[in-house]
Structures are given as structure tokens and as C-alpha cells.
Amino acid sequence: MVDAGEINLPDVMAEVTPTLARYEAAPVSNDLTVLDVLLWHSRLSLRYGNGEHLCGIAAIRAFRTACNLTGPARKSRNTVITTFGINFTTANIKFVRKAGRCGRQSQPWVHLSQGWHIVAAHVSIIPV
């Protein structure tokens, strides 16, 4: 159980914030290595997007390898990072891509022995 005093601990926020920024830069440059390193390597990993419902690290890797994920730069409009204790974080980002297109991204992150990893992701683009 996490006590209210363990939410957004400064030292955990200091670890998670640059890790999330590193992940956010990777799709713009199609850096598959960074995308892979920061994803939990498990059959339980998930990625849900506008056109895909991927279950497991193998399916996510295959999707990323098959398509060029490099997209236009996007501008984050709202990023909310909330840490719970020292091992669990949520990251939610609202971003704008093209005129009239808004994106939303939600990710739970878990601190494992190898560092912080995304265990699930949901990305969607909607008309504004």
C-alpha cells in the first residue's frame, strides 16, 4: 500500500522525468533501440493504438520493425507524471500533431531491476 506521502517523491520524479523524455524523443527519430530498451520485455506487455492491439513484446517489436514510426514533430500540451512509492509511475501526455489532430498517450511504468520500463501503452489520435 502506498501512503499519500509517497506520491511524487522528488527523487523518484528526478529519475522518471528524464527517462520519459528519452522515450518521447525516440519515435520522432525512429530510435527502435531506445523504444525497445524502455519497454518491459514480457509476453504481458501491451500497446494499444488507433489501428493496433498488440499483446506481448514480440508483437510490439514486430509492429515497430515493420513500419517507420518516424512522424512529424509533436508538441506536448500537457504532461502529467504521477509516481506512487518508488516503483510505479503513470505518465499521461496530451499532444498536438497536425492542425486539428490531438493525441493522447497513457503509460504505466514500473521500476524493475534493469530500470524503468513501460508495461502498457495506449496512444490515440483524435480530431480536436
Side-chain angles (χ1 to χ4, degrees), residues 101-112:
R101 302 294 283 179
C102 175
R104 301 170 296 181
Q105 175 178 313
S106 299
Q107 302 164 330
W109 290 70
V110 175
H111 191 239
L112 302 168

Side-chain angles (χ1 to χ4, degrees), residues 23 39 44-49 52-54 60 64 91 104-109 118-124:
Y23 181 84
L39 186 68
L44 301 174
S45 297
L46 300 172
R47 184 185 190 281
Y48 295 158
E52 67 278 358
H53 300 91
L54 307 171
I60 297 168
R64 287 183 169 158
R104 301 170 296 181
Q105 175 178 313
S106 299
Q107 302 164 330
W109 290 70
I118 298 166
V119 297
H122 177 263
V123 181
S124 58

Side-chain angles (χ1 to χ4, degrees), residues 1-9 83-86:
M1 184 180 314
V2 175
D3 182 81
E6 297 175 296
I7 296 173
N8 288 349
L9 293 169
T83 68
F84 300 89
I86 60 171

Side-chain angles (χ1 to χ4, degrees), residues 27-41:
V28 174
S29 62
N30 201 33
D31 190 334
L32 298 179
T33 301
V34 169
L35 292 171
D36 189 66
V37 164
L38 294 177
L39 186 68
W40 183 33
H41 294 180

